[in-house]
mmCIF file of all heavy atoms in Angstrom:
data_model
loop_
_atom_site.group_PDB
_atom_site.id
_atom_site.type_symbol
_atom_site.label_atom_id
_atom_site.label_comp_id
_atom_site.label_asym_id
_atom_site.label_seq_id
_atom_site.Cartn_x
_atom_site.Cartn_y
_atom_site.Cartn_z
ATOM 1 N N GLU B 497 -30.278 -2.231 -23.384
ATOM 2 C CA GLU B 497 -31.521 -1.619 -22.968
ATOM 3 C C GLU B 497 -31.373 -0.699 -21.772
ATOM 4 O O GLU B 497 -32.342 -0.093 -21.358
ATOM 5 C CB GLU B 497 -32.538 -2.706 -22.623
ATOM 6 C CG GLU B 497 -32.946 -3.530 -23.833
ATOM 7 C CD GLU B 497 -33.988 -4.554 -23.488
ATOM 8 O OE1 GLU B 497 -34.191 -4.767 -22.279
ATOM 9 O OE2 GLU B 497 -34.577 -5.117 -24.401
ATOM 10 N N HIS B 498 -30.190 -0.622 -21.199
ATOM 11 C CA HIS B 498 -30.073 0.118 -19.958
ATOM 12 C C HIS B 498 -29.049 1.236 -20.026
ATOM 13 O O HIS B 498 -27.962 1.054 -20.557
ATOM 14 C CB HIS B 498 -29.659 -0.818 -18.810
ATOM 15 C CG HIS B 498 -30.721 -1.788 -18.444
ATOM 16 N ND1 HIS B 498 -30.878 -2.969 -19.089
ATOM 17 C CD2 HIS B 498 -31.680 -1.735 -17.498
ATOM 18 C CE1 HIS B 498 -31.895 -3.620 -18.566
ATOM 19 N NE2 HIS B 498 -32.398 -2.891 -17.598
ATOM 20 N N VAL B 499 -29.451 2.373 -19.487
ATOM 21 C CA VAL B 499 -28.491 3.432 -19.212
ATOM 22 C C VAL B 499 -28.569 3.662 -17.717
ATOM 23 O O VAL B 499 -29.632 3.975 -17.197
ATOM 24 C CB VAL B 499 -28.846 4.730 -19.961
ATOM 25 C CG1 VAL B 499 -27.893 5.839 -19.556
ATOM 26 C CG2 VAL B 499 -28.788 4.494 -21.458
ATOM 27 N N GLN B 500 -27.454 3.454 -17.075
ATOM 28 C CA GLN B 500 -27.512 3.409 -15.619
ATOM 29 C C GLN B 500 -26.429 4.263 -14.987
ATOM 30 O O GLN B 500 -25.287 4.259 -15.437
ATOM 31 C CB GLN B 500 -27.327 1.953 -15.174
ATOM 32 C CG GLN B 500 -27.204 1.784 -13.681
ATOM 33 C CD GLN B 500 -27.110 0.324 -13.336
ATOM 34 O OE1 GLN B 500 -28.095 -0.385 -13.422
ATOM 35 N NE2 GLN B 500 -25.927 -0.122 -12.963
ATOM 36 N N PHE B 501 -26.818 4.995 -13.971
ATOM 37 C CA PHE B 501 -25.846 5.762 -13.190
ATOM 38 C C PHE B 501 -26.083 5.494 -11.720
ATOM 39 O O PHE B 501 -27.226 5.340 -11.280
ATOM 40 C CB PHE B 501 -25.983 7.261 -13.460
ATOM 41 C CG PHE B 501 -25.677 7.618 -14.882
ATOM 42 C CD1 PHE B 501 -26.688 7.740 -15.810
ATOM 43 C CD2 PHE B 501 -24.371 7.794 -15.296
ATOM 44 C CE1 PHE B 501 -26.413 8.037 -17.121
ATOM 45 C CE2 PHE B 501 -24.090 8.094 -16.610
ATOM 46 C CZ PHE B 501 -25.109 8.215 -17.532
ATOM 47 N N ARG B 502 -25.000 5.463 -11.005
ATOM 48 C CA ARG B 502 -25.100 5.359 -9.547
ATOM 49 C C ARG B 502 -24.333 6.526 -8.951
ATOM 50 O O ARG B 502 -23.160 6.707 -9.242
ATOM 51 C CB ARG B 502 -24.499 4.047 -9.050
ATOM 52 C CG ARG B 502 -25.332 2.846 -9.381
ATOM 53 C CD ARG B 502 -24.855 1.666 -8.548
ATOM 54 N NE ARG B 502 -25.707 0.522 -8.757
ATOM 55 C CZ ARG B 502 -25.509 -0.378 -9.703
ATOM 56 N NH1 ARG B 502 -24.488 -0.255 -10.505
ATOM 57 N NH2 ARG B 502 -26.325 -1.384 -9.831
ATOM 58 N N GLY B 503 -25.017 7.264 -8.118
ATOM 59 C CA GLY B 503 -24.391 8.423 -7.508
ATOM 60 C C GLY B 503 -25.226 9.654 -7.808
ATOM 61 O O GLY B 503 -26.357 9.558 -8.290
ATOM 62 N N LEU B 504 -24.643 10.771 -7.548
ATOM 63 C CA LEU B 504 -25.351 12.024 -7.776
ATOM 64 C C LEU B 504 -25.278 12.406 -9.256
ATOM 65 O O LEU B 504 -24.208 12.361 -9.856
ATOM 66 C CB LEU B 504 -24.715 13.125 -6.923
ATOM 67 C CG LEU B 504 -25.259 14.527 -7.108
ATOM 68 C CD1 LEU B 504 -26.698 14.610 -6.632
ATOM 69 C CD2 LEU B 504 -24.404 15.529 -6.353
ATOM 70 N N VAL B 505 -26.398 12.735 -9.830
ATOM 71 C CA VAL B 505 -26.417 13.337 -11.162
ATOM 72 C C VAL B 505 -26.920 14.761 -10.959
ATOM 73 O O VAL B 505 -28.103 14.987 -10.695
ATOM 74 C CB VAL B 505 -27.323 12.548 -12.121
ATOM 75 C CG1 VAL B 505 -27.372 13.243 -13.474
ATOM 76 C CG2 VAL B 505 -26.811 11.121 -12.286
ATOM 77 N N TYR B 506 -26.002 15.712 -11.063
ATOM 78 C CA TYR B 506 -26.327 17.094 -10.708
ATOM 79 C C TYR B 506 -26.119 17.986 -11.912
ATOM 80 O O TYR B 506 -25.023 18.051 -12.476
ATOM 81 C CB TYR B 506 -25.420 17.550 -9.559
ATOM 82 C CG TYR B 506 -25.633 18.979 -9.122
ATOM 83 C CD1 TYR B 506 -26.424 19.273 -8.016
ATOM 84 C CD2 TYR B 506 -25.036 20.037 -9.799
ATOM 85 C CE1 TYR B 506 -26.616 20.586 -7.602
ATOM 86 C CE2 TYR B 506 -25.219 21.355 -9.398
ATOM 87 C CZ TYR B 506 -26.006 21.611 -8.303
ATOM 88 O OH TYR B 506 -26.195 22.913 -7.891
ATOM 89 N N ALA B 507 -27.183 18.669 -12.301
ATOM 90 C CA ALA B 507 -27.070 19.685 -13.355
ATOM 91 C C ALA B 507 -27.449 21.015 -12.730
ATOM 92 O O ALA B 507 -28.526 21.137 -12.149
ATOM 93 C CB ALA B 507 -28.010 19.362 -14.509
ATOM 94 N N GLU B 508 -26.568 21.968 -12.846
ATOM 95 C CA GLU B 508 -26.904 23.284 -12.301
ATOM 96 C C GLU B 508 -28.123 23.849 -13.027
ATOM 97 O O GLU B 508 -28.956 24.520 -12.429
ATOM 98 C CB GLU B 508 -25.713 24.222 -12.429
ATOM 99 C CG GLU B 508 -25.941 25.628 -11.939
ATOM 100 C CD GLU B 508 -26.400 25.710 -10.491
ATOM 101 O OE1 GLU B 508 -25.946 24.879 -9.688
ATOM 102 O OE2 GLU B 508 -27.233 26.574 -10.179
ATOM 103 N N LYS B 509 -28.242 23.513 -14.311
ATOM 104 C CA LYS B 509 -29.434 23.977 -15.053
ATOM 105 C C LYS B 509 -30.340 22.782 -15.374
ATOM 106 O O LYS B 509 -31.105 22.361 -14.543
ATOM 107 C CB LYS B 509 -29.008 24.747 -16.292
ATOM 108 C CG LYS B 509 -28.318 26.057 -15.912
ATOM 109 C CD LYS B 509 -27.953 26.900 -17.112
ATOM 110 C CE LYS B 509 -27.327 28.217 -16.633
ATOM 111 N NZ LYS B 509 -26.727 28.953 -17.756
ATOM 112 N N ASN B 510 -30.217 22.233 -16.579
ATOM 113 C CA ASN B 510 -31.217 21.249 -17.012
ATOM 114 C C ASN B 510 -30.625 19.852 -17.132
ATOM 115 O O ASN B 510 -29.426 19.684 -17.361
ATOM 116 C CB ASN B 510 -31.785 21.656 -18.377
ATOM 117 C CG ASN B 510 -32.356 23.057 -18.343
ATOM 118 O OD1 ASN B 510 -33.271 23.338 -17.577
ATOM 119 N ND2 ASN B 510 -31.795 23.941 -19.157
ATOM 120 N N PHE B 511 -31.511 18.879 -17.018
ATOM 121 C CA PHE B 511 -31.135 17.495 -17.288
ATOM 122 C C PHE B 511 -32.010 16.996 -18.425
ATOM 123 O O PHE B 511 -33.235 17.100 -18.383
ATOM 124 C CB PHE B 511 -31.358 16.619 -16.052
ATOM 125 C CG PHE B 511 -31.143 15.150 -16.323
ATOM 126 C CD1 PHE B 511 -29.876 14.605 -16.277
ATOM 127 C CD2 PHE B 511 -32.213 14.332 -16.652
ATOM 128 C CE1 PHE B 511 -29.677 13.258 -16.554
ATOM 129 C CE2 PHE B 511 -32.019 12.983 -16.931
ATOM 130 C CZ PHE B 511 -30.748 12.448 -16.875
ATOM 131 N N HIS B 512 -31.339 16.474 -19.473
ATOM 132 C CA HIS B 512 -32.086 15.920 -20.610
ATOM 133 C C HIS B 512 -31.702 14.454 -20.775
ATOM 134 O O HIS B 512 -30.519 14.121 -20.748
ATOM 135 C CB HIS B 512 -31.714 16.623 -21.928
ATOM 136 C CG HIS B 512 -31.873 18.102 -21.897
ATOM 137 N ND1 HIS B 512 -33.084 18.720 -21.982
ATOM 138 C CD2 HIS B 512 -30.962 19.089 -21.790
ATOM 139 C CE1 HIS B 512 -32.915 20.033 -21.925
ATOM 140 N NE2 HIS B 512 -31.632 20.280 -21.806
ATOM 141 N N PHE B 513 -32.708 13.651 -20.962
ATOM 142 C CA PHE B 513 -32.448 12.269 -21.378
ATOM 143 C C PHE B 513 -33.333 12.017 -22.577
ATOM 144 O O PHE B 513 -34.563 12.024 -22.481
ATOM 145 C CB PHE B 513 -32.775 11.282 -20.255
ATOM 146 C CG PHE B 513 -32.603 9.842 -20.665
ATOM 147 C CD1 PHE B 513 -31.363 9.244 -20.583
ATOM 148 C CD2 PHE B 513 -33.671 9.102 -21.135
ATOM 149 C CE1 PHE B 513 -31.187 7.922 -20.977
ATOM 150 C CE2 PHE B 513 -33.508 7.778 -21.526
ATOM 151 C CZ PHE B 513 -32.262 7.190 -21.441
ATOM 152 N N GLN B 514 -32.715 11.811 -23.701
ATOM 153 C CA GLN B 514 -33.486 11.551 -24.915
ATOM 154 C C GLN B 514 -33.160 10.143 -25.365
ATOM 155 O O GLN B 514 -32.097 9.876 -25.947
ATOM 156 C CB GLN B 514 -33.121 12.561 -26.008
ATOM 157 C CG GLN B 514 -33.756 12.279 -27.364
ATOM 158 C CD GLN B 514 -35.274 12.332 -27.325
ATOM 159 O OE1 GLN B 514 -35.846 13.369 -27.002
ATOM 160 N NE2 GLN B 514 -35.931 11.210 -27.631
ATOM 161 N N ALA B 515 -34.054 9.224 -25.072
ATOM 162 C CA ALA B 515 -33.814 7.842 -25.468
ATOM 163 C C ALA B 515 -33.964 7.729 -26.975
ATOM 164 O O ALA B 515 -34.731 8.460 -27.598
ATOM 165 C CB ALA B 515 -34.799 6.918 -24.779
ATOM 166 N N GLY B 516 -33.245 6.792 -27.540
ATOM 167 C CA GLY B 516 -33.339 6.589 -28.966
ATOM 168 C C GLY B 516 -34.478 5.651 -29.315
ATOM 169 O O GLY B 516 -35.113 5.038 -28.455
ATOM 170 N N TRP B 517 -34.746 5.549 -30.600
ATOM 171 C CA TRP B 517 -35.716 4.608 -31.119
ATOM 172 C C TRP B 517 -37.076 4.751 -30.430
ATOM 173 O O TRP B 517 -37.596 3.875 -29.771
ATOM 174 C CB TRP B 517 -35.200 3.183 -30.970
ATOM 175 C CG TRP B 517 -35.732 2.315 -32.060
ATOM 176 C CD1 TRP B 517 -36.567 1.251 -31.914
ATOM 177 C CD2 TRP B 517 -35.478 2.434 -33.459
ATOM 178 N NE1 TRP B 517 -36.858 0.710 -33.126
ATOM 179 C CE2 TRP B 517 -36.196 1.413 -34.107
ATOM 180 C CE3 TRP B 517 -34.724 3.321 -34.238
ATOM 181 C CZ2 TRP B 517 -36.179 1.254 -35.482
ATOM 182 C CZ3 TRP B 517 -34.707 3.152 -35.606
ATOM 183 C CH2 TRP B 517 -35.426 2.126 -36.207
ATOM 184 N N ALA B 518 -37.625 5.902 -30.614
ATOM 185 C CA ALA B 518 -38.845 6.254 -29.914
ATOM 186 C C ALA B 518 -39.993 5.297 -30.195
ATOM 187 O O ALA B 518 -40.841 5.061 -29.347
ATOM 188 C CB ALA B 518 -39.252 7.672 -30.298
ATOM 189 N N ALA B 519 -40.009 4.745 -31.400
ATOM 190 C CA ALA B 519 -41.145 3.900 -31.749
ATOM 191 C C ALA B 519 -41.234 2.674 -30.857
ATOM 192 O O ALA B 519 -42.308 2.226 -30.490
ATOM 193 C CB ALA B 519 -41.048 3.496 -33.208
ATOM 194 N N GLU B 520 -40.088 2.140 -30.492
ATOM 195 C CA GLU B 520 -40.111 0.914 -29.694
ATOM 196 C C GLU B 520 -39.954 1.175 -28.207
ATOM 197 O O GLU B 520 -40.326 0.362 -27.393
ATOM 198 C CB GLU B 520 -38.997 -0.028 -30.159
ATOM 199 C CG GLU B 520 -39.259 -0.563 -31.562
ATOM 200 C CD GLU B 520 -38.236 -1.600 -31.932
ATOM 201 O OE1 GLU B 520 -37.522 -2.075 -31.028
ATOM 202 O OE2 GLU B 520 -38.124 -1.915 -33.121
ATOM 203 N N ARG B 521 -39.399 2.265 -27.875
ATOM 204 C CA ARG B 521 -39.207 2.621 -26.466
ATOM 205 C C ARG B 521 -38.583 1.454 -25.698
ATOM 206 O O ARG B 521 -39.193 0.866 -24.830
ATOM 207 C CB ARG B 521 -40.546 2.964 -25.825
ATOM 208 C CG ARG B 521 -41.116 4.281 -26.260
ATOM 209 C CD ARG B 521 -42.441 4.494 -25.590
ATOM 210 N NE ARG B 521 -42.908 5.837 -25.818
ATOM 211 C CZ ARG B 521 -43.056 6.739 -24.866
ATOM 212 N NH1 ARG B 521 -42.784 6.440 -23.631
ATOM 213 N NH2 ARG B 521 -43.492 7.943 -25.144
ATOM 214 N N ARG B 522 -37.354 1.128 -26.007
ATOM 215 C CA ARG B 522 -36.762 -0.070 -25.418
ATOM 216 C C ARG B 522 -35.803 0.231 -24.273
ATOM 217 O O ARG B 522 -35.366 -0.680 -23.603
ATOM 218 C CB ARG B 522 -36.004 -0.857 -26.498
ATOM 219 C CG ARG B 522 -36.901 -1.341 -27.628
ATOM 220 C CD ARG B 522 -36.135 -2.081 -28.689
ATOM 221 N NE ARG B 522 -35.020 -1.297 -29.199
ATOM 222 C CZ ARG B 522 -33.751 -1.653 -29.079
ATOM 223 N NH1 ARG B 522 -33.438 -2.764 -28.456
ATOM 224 N NH2 ARG B 522 -32.795 -0.904 -29.579
ATOM 225 N N GLN B 523 -35.484 1.487 -24.079
ATOM 226 C CA GLN B 523 -34.389 1.756 -23.163
ATOM 227 C C GLN B 523 -34.857 2.166 -21.778
ATOM 228 O O GLN B 523 -35.874 2.845 -21.630
ATOM 229 C CB GLN B 523 -33.492 2.847 -23.747
ATOM 230 C CG GLN B 523 -32.671 2.305 -24.894
ATOM 231 C CD GLN B 523 -32.167 3.379 -25.816
ATOM 232 O OE1 GLN B 523 -32.596 4.513 -25.758
ATOM 233 N NE2 GLN B 523 -31.257 2.993 -26.689
ATOM 234 N N THR B 524 -34.074 1.749 -20.820
ATOM 235 C CA THR B 524 -34.363 2.083 -19.442
ATOM 236 C C THR B 524 -33.303 3.052 -18.938
ATOM 237 O O THR B 524 -32.112 2.822 -19.127
ATOM 238 C CB THR B 524 -34.343 0.815 -18.566
ATOM 239 O OG1 THR B 524 -35.458 0.006 -18.931
ATOM 240 C CG2 THR B 524 -34.436 1.162 -17.094
ATOM 241 N N LEU B 525 -33.772 4.094 -18.316
ATOM 242 C CA LEU B 525 -32.853 5.001 -17.625
ATOM 243 C C LEU B 525 -32.962 4.703 -16.143
ATOM 244 O O LEU B 525 -34.060 4.711 -15.573
ATOM 245 C CB LEU B 525 -33.237 6.459 -17.880
ATOM 246 C CG LEU B 525 -32.505 7.478 -17.005
ATOM 247 C CD1 LEU B 525 -31.015 7.511 -17.334
ATOM 248 C CD2 LEU B 525 -33.104 8.865 -17.146
ATOM 249 N N SER B 526 -31.843 4.416 -15.551
ATOM 250 C CA SER B 526 -31.847 4.106 -14.130
ATOM 251 C C SER B 526 -30.816 4.997 -13.430
ATOM 252 O O SER B 526 -29.641 5.006 -13.807
ATOM 253 C CB SER B 526 -31.490 2.627 -13.932
ATOM 254 O OG SER B 526 -31.289 2.363 -12.570
ATOM 255 N N ILE B 527 -31.283 5.744 -12.483
ATOM 256 C CA ILE B 527 -30.372 6.591 -11.702
ATOM 257 C C ILE B 527 -30.554 6.244 -10.248
ATOM 258 O O ILE B 527 -31.642 6.411 -9.684
ATOM 259 C CB ILE B 527 -30.660 8.085 -11.941
ATOM 260 C CG1 ILE B 527 -30.393 8.441 -13.404
ATOM 261 C CG2 ILE B 527 -29.793 8.949 -11.014
ATOM 262 C CD1 ILE B 527 -30.744 9.857 -13.773
ATOM 263 N N GLU B 528 -29.505 5.713 -9.650
ATOM 264 C CA GLU B 528 -29.566 5.364 -8.233
ATOM 265 C C GLU B 528 -28.708 6.365 -7.472
ATOM 266 O O GLU B 528 -27.494 6.434 -7.659
ATOM 267 C CB GLU B 528 -29.068 3.946 -7.989
ATOM 268 C CG GLU B 528 -29.181 3.554 -6.524
ATOM 269 C CD GLU B 528 -28.983 2.074 -6.297
ATOM 270 O OE1 GLU B 528 -28.812 1.329 -7.278
ATOM 271 O OE2 GLU B 528 -29.000 1.664 -5.119
ATOM 272 N N GLY B 529 -29.333 7.116 -6.642
ATOM 273 C CA GLY B 529 -28.664 8.201 -5.933
ATOM 274 C C GLY B 529 -29.651 9.347 -5.878
ATOM 275 O O GLY B 529 -30.676 9.254 -5.193
ATOM 276 N N ALA B 530 -29.386 10.378 -6.652
ATOM 277 C CA ALA B 530 -30.336 11.479 -6.763
ATOM 278 C C ALA B 530 -30.075 12.211 -8.067
ATOM 279 O O ALA B 530 -28.930 12.336 -8.500
ATOM 280 C CB ALA B 530 -30.215 12.440 -5.591
ATOM 281 N N LEU B 531 -31.138 12.655 -8.682
ATOM 282 C CA LEU B 531 -31.055 13.433 -9.922
ATOM 283 C C LEU B 531 -31.496 14.856 -9.590
ATOM 284 O O LEU B 531 -32.615 15.066 -9.119
ATOM 285 C CB LEU B 531 -31.969 12.803 -10.978
ATOM 286 C CG LEU B 531 -32.258 13.623 -12.237
ATOM 287 C CD1 LEU B 531 -30.976 13.951 -12.973
ATOM 288 C CD2 LEU B 531 -33.197 12.848 -13.156
ATOM 289 N N VAL B 532 -30.600 15.806 -9.838
ATOM 290 C CA VAL B 532 -30.875 17.187 -9.431
ATOM 291 C C VAL B 532 -30.727 18.122 -10.629
ATOM 292 O O VAL B 532 -29.711 18.103 -11.314
ATOM 293 C CB VAL B 532 -29.881 17.635 -8.327
ATOM 294 C CG1 VAL B 532 -30.161 19.069 -7.905
ATOM 295 C CG2 VAL B 532 -29.956 16.704 -7.125
ATOM 296 N N ALA B 533 -31.763 18.906 -10.882
ATOM 297 C CA ALA B 533 -31.658 20.019 -11.844
ATOM 298 C C ALA B 533 -31.903 21.274 -11.015
ATOM 299 O O ALA B 533 -33.035 21.677 -10.810
ATOM 300 C CB ALA B 533 -32.690 19.877 -12.950
ATOM 301 N N ARG B 534 -30.822 21.853 -10.529
ATOM 302 C CA ARG B 534 -30.984 22.832 -9.458
ATOM 303 C C ARG B 534 -31.765 24.070 -9.865
ATOM 304 O O ARG B 534 -32.635 24.521 -9.150
ATOM 305 C CB ARG B 534 -29.627 23.255 -8.887
ATOM 306 C CG ARG B 534 -29.765 23.762 -7.469
ATOM 307 C CD ARG B 534 -28.582 24.553 -7.040
ATOM 308 N NE ARG B 534 -28.607 25.894 -7.535
ATOM 309 C CZ ARG B 534 -29.263 26.911 -6.988
ATOM 310 N NH1 ARG B 534 -29.950 26.705 -5.902
ATOM 311 N NH2 ARG B 534 -29.233 28.107 -7.510
ATOM 312 N N SER B 535 -31.446 24.627 -11.023
ATOM 313 C CA SER B 535 -32.190 25.820 -11.406
ATOM 314 C C SER B 535 -32.947 25.622 -12.716
ATOM 315 O O SER B 535 -33.455 26.574 -13.276
ATOM 316 C CB SER B 535 -31.244 27.007 -11.529
ATOM 317 O OG SER B 535 -30.277 26.742 -12.528
ATOM 318 N N GLY B 536 -33.019 24.396 -13.182
ATOM 319 C CA GLY B 536 -33.689 24.137 -14.449
ATOM 320 C C GLY B 536 -34.677 23.001 -14.352
ATOM 321 O O GLY B 536 -35.284 22.772 -13.309
ATOM 322 N N SER B 537 -34.806 22.288 -15.471
ATOM 323 C CA SER B 537 -35.850 21.269 -15.548
ATOM 324 C C SER B 537 -35.247 19.887 -15.800
ATOM 325 O O SER B 537 -34.080 19.754 -16.162
ATOM 326 C CB SER B 537 -36.823 21.614 -16.675
ATOM 327 O OG SER B 537 -36.112 21.675 -17.896
ATOM 328 N N ILE B 538 -36.081 18.893 -15.601
ATOM 329 C CA ILE B 538 -35.716 17.507 -15.910
ATOM 330 C C ILE B 538 -36.625 17.060 -17.050
ATOM 331 O O ILE B 538 -37.849 17.169 -16.944
ATOM 332 C CB ILE B 538 -35.892 16.598 -14.689
ATOM 333 C CG1 ILE B 538 -34.863 16.942 -13.614
ATOM 334 C CG2 ILE B 538 -35.778 15.126 -15.073
ATOM 335 C CD1 ILE B 538 -35.053 16.202 -12.310
ATOM 336 N N ASN B 539 -36.013 16.577 -18.111
ATOM 337 C CA ASN B 539 -36.800 16.185 -19.270
ATOM 338 C C ASN B 539 -36.345 14.809 -19.722
ATOM 339 O O ASN B 539 -35.228 14.645 -20.213
ATOM 340 C CB ASN B 539 -36.608 17.225 -20.386
ATOM 341 C CG ASN B 539 -37.601 17.024 -21.506
ATOM 342 O OD1 ASN B 539 -38.283 16.001 -21.561
ATOM 343 N ND2 ASN B 539 -37.679 17.989 -22.391
ATOM 344 N N ILE B 540 -37.198 13.812 -19.555
ATOM 345 C CA ILE B 540 -36.859 12.436 -19.929
ATOM 346 C C ILE B 540 -37.841 12.006 -21.011
ATOM 347 O O ILE B 540 -39.051 11.993 -20.784
ATOM 348 C CB ILE B 540 -36.931 11.506 -18.708
ATOM 349 C CG1 ILE B 540 -35.902 11.942 -17.659
ATOM 350 C CG2 ILE B 540 -36.704 10.054 -19.114
ATOM 351 C CD1 ILE B 540 -36.034 11.270 -16.323
ATOM 352 N N SER B 541 -37.305 11.671 -22.173
ATOM 353 C CA SER B 541 -38.180 11.404 -23.316
ATOM 354 C C SER B 541 -37.979 10.010 -23.850
ATOM 355 O O SER B 541 -36.851 9.518 -23.958
ATOM 356 C CB SER B 541 -37.893 12.403 -24.448
ATOM 357 O OG SER B 541 -38.172 13.703 -24.031
ATOM 358 N N ASP B 542 -39.086 9.395 -24.207
ATOM 359 C CA ASP B 542 -39.104 8.165 -24.993
ATOM 360 C C ASP B 542 -38.380 6.992 -24.348
ATOM 361 O O ASP B 542 -37.811 6.152 -25.039
ATOM 362 C CB ASP B 542 -38.504 8.411 -26.384
ATOM 363 C CG ASP B 542 -39.354 9.353 -27.196
ATOM 364 O OD1 ASP B 542 -40.587 9.317 -26.999
ATOM 365 O OD2 ASP B 542 -38.809 10.139 -27.983
ATOM 366 N N ALA B 543 -38.414 6.912 -23.054
ATOM 367 C CA ALA B 543 -37.811 5.756 -22.394
ATOM 368 C C ALA B 543 -38.873 4.686 -22.188
ATOM 369 O O ALA B 543 -40.065 4.974 -22.111
ATOM 370 C CB ALA B 543 -37.230 6.161 -21.051
#
Side-chain angles (χ1 to χ4, degrees):
Chain B
E497 294 182 347
H498 291 85
V499 175
Q500 173 177 287
F501 296 95
R502 288 195 175 89
L504 176 66
V505 177
Y506 178 98
E508 178 56 35
K509 293 184 177 169
N510 304 300
F511 173 84
H512 305 283
F513 176 85
Q514 173 62 61
W517 210 244
E520 292 186 14
R521 287 179 171 245
R522 298 179 306 117
Q523 287 159 347
T524 292
L525 169 66
S526 171
I527 296 176
E528 182 168 357
L531 167 59
V532 180
R534 204 198 80 83
S535 61
S537 59
I538 292 174
N539 191 348
I540 298 170
S541 297
D542 294 328

